[in-house]
Amino acid sequence: MTAPAAGGTGTVTIVITVVGVFGGLTGVGAFLTVLFQRKKFRADAAGVITSSALTLVEPLQSRVASLEGETATLRGKVRTAQRESDRARSDADKARRQAALANEELLEVRGALRQVTAMMTRWRAAILAPNATVPALRTLVTSDPGPVVDGDLT
Amino acid sequence: MSPHRLRRVAPGRHPFELATLLVAVFGGLAVVVSHHRPRSVTETMPPPVQVLWLTGLISAGVIGLIGTSWRGRLSTSLATELLSMILLGSATTMFTIALAAGGRADAIAAGAFIGGWALAAWWRAVQIVADLRRLTQPGRVVAVPMMIEDGDR
């Protein structure tokens, strides 16, 4: 077999040499680029799961996503319920305080009523006494302390 | 949801790739030991380029076998495999050009196979670059080893 023409061989040789040199430099360059930028590539072997695990993980992942959505909805509902229960509790507190105040006032009114009733009984007895006289009655009414009431009942 | 996005990355465990790398090592060593360089190579390459070609072929095989069986960082494994694929692609492209330049009809079958080999190596190199880019993006990384072994990562 004869050797190819000298010119053809020259061109082919140049092309082959260029491919070889270019390939070698590119390969080494790419390798070093990746190695020096290792921080950019997060995944080490421990952070990588296999395809057999993937078949397990994928449905779980979609399940987790749907559960996360559900959790978010429920969390919103819980927050609303909490707000409502807080409002109800403060309303109940206010009502209880008002009831206590009313109860206190009622007790005062009852006490005043008892004193007024007692005073009327005393005065009636004095008026109806056989020896009742107007000056004596006047003295009695003036000296009688009358109902003792804390608040102003007028 | 983007933080849960799975990113698939395929380390090279394909039978074709591993067999090719083994052949590159042993074929290259056989050429060195026997002192019988292919005629198309001796006709088209000056001796320094022949040495470059053989070195590239053998080191592509060795580096590729190391890269595909690397158990450390995935990015290191892929980078090593990328280096191997570029060297292998270069060496096989050189050989293909040499065979084609010979213009011999009896080299067609061999040239076609070697050319396919070169195409596969460059193809795989592009794949690895895409995989490496995937490793820089957010999301869970899933290594899906190819056909030879599964579930060992």
Side-chain angles (χ1 to χ4, degrees), chain B residues 11-72:
Chain B
R13 306 281 174 88
H14 197 283
F16 276 88
E17 187 173 341
L18 283 198
T20 299
L21 292 169
L22 283 171
V23 168
V25 175
F26 291 109
L29 285 176
V31 170
V32 171
V33 169
S34 68
H35 293 289
H36 281 292
R37 295 189 180 162
R39 195 167 30 161
S40 56
V41 168
T42 53
E43 279 170 2
T44 53
M45 299 183 202
V49 180
Q50 292 177 26
V51 172
L52 178 73
W53 173 71
L54 271 175
T55 312
L57 193 63
I58 297 169
S59 56
V62 172
I63 292 168
L65 290 172
I66 292 172
T68 49
S69 55
W70 189 266
R71 297 302 160 94

Side-chain angles (χ1 to χ4, degrees), chain B:
Chain B
M1 280 183 147
S2 93
H4 293 297
R5 186 107 166 261
L6 294 174
R7 302 202 174 277
R8 274 165 231 251
V9 162
R13 306 281 174 88
H14 197 283
F16 276 88
E17 187 173 341
L18 283 198
T20 299
L21 292 169
L22 283 171
V23 168
V25 175
F26 291 109
L29 285 176
V31 170
V32 171
V33 169
S34 68
H35 293 289
H36 281 292
R37 295 189 180 162
R39 195 167 30 161
S40 56
V41 168
T42 53
E43 279 170 2
T44 53
M45 299 183 202
V49 180
Q50 292 177 26
V51 172
L52 178 73
W53 173 71
L54 271 175
T55 312
L57 193 63
I58 297 169
S59 56
V62 172
I63 292 168
L65 290 172
I66 292 172
T68 49
S69 55
W70 189 266
R71 297 302 160 94
R73 285 179 78 97
L74 187 59
S75 65
T76 309
S77 164
L78 287 173
T80 313
E81 198 186 337
L82 176 62
L83 170 60
S84 151
M85 283 302 125
I86 293 175
L87 291 179
L88 186 68
S90 306
T92 47
T93 304
M94 288 162 85
F95 198 8
T96 310
I97 295 170
L99 283 169
R104 279 191 296 271
D106 58 2
I108 288 176
F113 274 105
I114 308 273
W117 203 350
L119 179 65
W122 291 119
W123 193 333
R124 178 71 190 132
V126 171
Q127 267 189 344
I128 294 172
V129 169
D131 274 359
L132 283 169
R133 189 164 302 139
R134 255 174 228 126
L135 281 186
T136 64
Q137 290 164 351
R140 194 95 176 85
V141 170
V142 181
V144 186
M146 291 189 206
M147 289 158 72
I148 278 199
E149 15 184 354
D150 196 1
D152 59 346
R153 262 202 185 263

Side-chain angles (χ1 to χ4, degrees), chain A residues 119-144:
Chain A
M119 192 184 71
M120 280 174 62
T121 311
R122 275 199 308 281
W123 287 5
R124 189 170 182 271
I127 289 164
L128 293 181
N131 56 349
T133 59
V134 173
L137 287 175
R138 279 206 185 114
T139 320
L140 173 71
V141 170
T142 327
S143 65
D144 197 301

